[in-house]
């Protein structure tokens, strides 16, 4: 039995849920409340020492890291393959997922926290916040979180995060110029991996970032038409988060436009 420790609006959890849905796999979910710091509880840290979601458990075997989990699922359940055929598209697929793991995901957290999620922490009180910071295993991430909660979009790291994503959206537009999917003719884990991030920009009202990128806009439309998108993403959307992101996203847009 597959068990997934996840969160409704987490981009990394969305990636894995969409993969499970594409493969038609049954799974049992354990939902973690990230604002209540469930991910930092000692029991959970034993499985995932990084204190993040998702974590997959397959008959007692613990797998962490969403990219690794997705490739694990593709190895363990090969009936519906999600890695493209051929060495070259497969290498491209890994380049796309590597980019997320080596910086883009952190940039996403920076943008999301600075623009919207920081407001969920503001009313938690100093004591609760200090307790959360103290429990965070990664000191660099702790400092980043403090900075973003305090400074929001005025944080010094915000503009670079935004520009890095804007550049990546340009690269996606380019990659889609000759083929329907990011690595060629086959839908793959690369497309799945970027679907939650486009969704995040959409929720934060950043659609202008693909106003002049028609292939990317079309890719996003086609991604949303897949039933796995409903099962892995839409079904889990939380109204509370959607309202917060839409409201704070619109408010921040003039400043963002200036940075871009
Ligand atoms: N590299 C990890 C990143 C996981 C991650 O950052 N998860 C976020 C949600 S998308 C999380 O659990 N955040 C809670 C926190 O940082 O306290 C992966 O791909 O699984």
């Amino acid at each position: 039995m597959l068990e997934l420790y996840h969160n409704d609006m987490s981009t990394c959890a969305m990636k894995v849920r969409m993969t499970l849905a594409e493969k038609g796999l049954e799974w049992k979910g354990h939902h973690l409340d990230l604002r209540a710091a469930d991910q930092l509880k000692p029991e959970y840290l034993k499985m995932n020492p990084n204190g993040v979601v998702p974590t997959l458990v397959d008959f007692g075997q613990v797998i962490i890291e969403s990219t690794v989990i997705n490739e694990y699922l593709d190895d363990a359940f090969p009936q519906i393959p999600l890695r493209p055929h051929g060495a070259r598209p497969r290498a491209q697929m890994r380049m796309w997922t590597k980019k997320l793991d080596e910086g883009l995901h952190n940039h996403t957290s920076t943008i999301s926290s600075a623009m919207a999620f920081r407001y969920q922490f503001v009313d938690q009180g100093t004591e609760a916040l200090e307790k959360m910071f103290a429990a965070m295993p990664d000191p660099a991430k702790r400092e980043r979180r403090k900075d973003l909660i305090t400074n929001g979009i005025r944080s010094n790291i915000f503009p670079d995060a935004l520009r890095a994503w804007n550049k990546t959206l340009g690269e996606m537009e380019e990659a889609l110029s000759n083929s329907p999917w990011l690595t060629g003719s086959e839908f793959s884990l690369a497309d799945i991996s970027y679907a939650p991030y486009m969704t995040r920009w959409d929720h934060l009202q950043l659609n202008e970032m693909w106003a002049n990128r028609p292939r990317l806009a079309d890719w996003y439309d086609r991604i949303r038409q897949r039933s796995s998108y409903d099962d892995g993403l839409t079904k889990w959307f939380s109204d509370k988060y959607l309202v917060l992101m839409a409201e704070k996203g619109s408010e921040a847009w003039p400043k963002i436009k200036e940075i871009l």
Side-chain angles (χ1 to χ4, degrees), residues 9-13 15 34-35 39-40 48 51-54 64-67 69 101 105-106 109 136 141 145 197:
M9 295 298 283
S10 142
T11 47
C12 296
K15 260 163 82 174
L34 301 181
R35 299 301 165 257
Q39 74 281 20
L40 299 174
N48 190 325
V52 291
V53 290
I64 62 169
E65 287 297 317
S66 57
T67 300
I69 295 173
D101 293 339
H105 173 71
N106 283 347
S109 307
M136 287 175 77
K141 184 168 162 182
R145 177 79 48 90
Y197 295 93

Side-chain angles (χ1 to χ4, degrees), residues 14-25 66-67 69-86 89-94 97 181-183 185-193 223 226 228:
M14 289 177 188
K15 260 163 82 174
V16 173
R17 290 196 304 255
M18 190 166 173
T19 299
L20 289 163
E22 281 286 339
K23 287 181 165 289
L25 295 168
S66 57
T67 300
I69 295 173
N70 275 354
E71 291 215 31
Y72 170 83
L73 289 171
D74 209 43
D75 282 331
F77 305 95
Q79 292 81 358
I80 300 176
L82 290 171
R83 277 173 290 192
H85 293 87
R90 216 168 257 214
Q92 283 170 340
M93 181 208 91
R94 293 212 171 88
T97 56
W181 302 111
L182 287 174
T183 62
S185 58
E186 289 176 281
F187 174 81
S188 78
L189 291 179
D191 302 288
I192 290 180
S193 298
I223 284 275
R226 297 181 85 86
S228 61

Side-chain angles (χ1 to χ4, degrees), residues 111 115 162 201-202 204-210 253 256:
I111 298 169
M115 288 178 69
L162 202 58
W201 311 140
D202 195 2
L204 285 168
Q205 312 294 304
L206 300 180
N207 323 49
E208 273 292 310
M209 285 171 85
W210 56 95
W253 176 247
I256 286 168

Side-chain angles (χ1 to χ4, degrees), residues 220-238:
Y220 183 45
D221 279 346
R222 284 181 288 113
I223 284 275
R224 281 180 298 168
Q225 281 160 25
R226 297 181 85 86
S227 62
S228 61
Y229 185 91
D230 276 341
D231 286 345
L233 283 82
T234 319
K235 197 172 113 183
W236 296 93
F237 289 165
S238 140

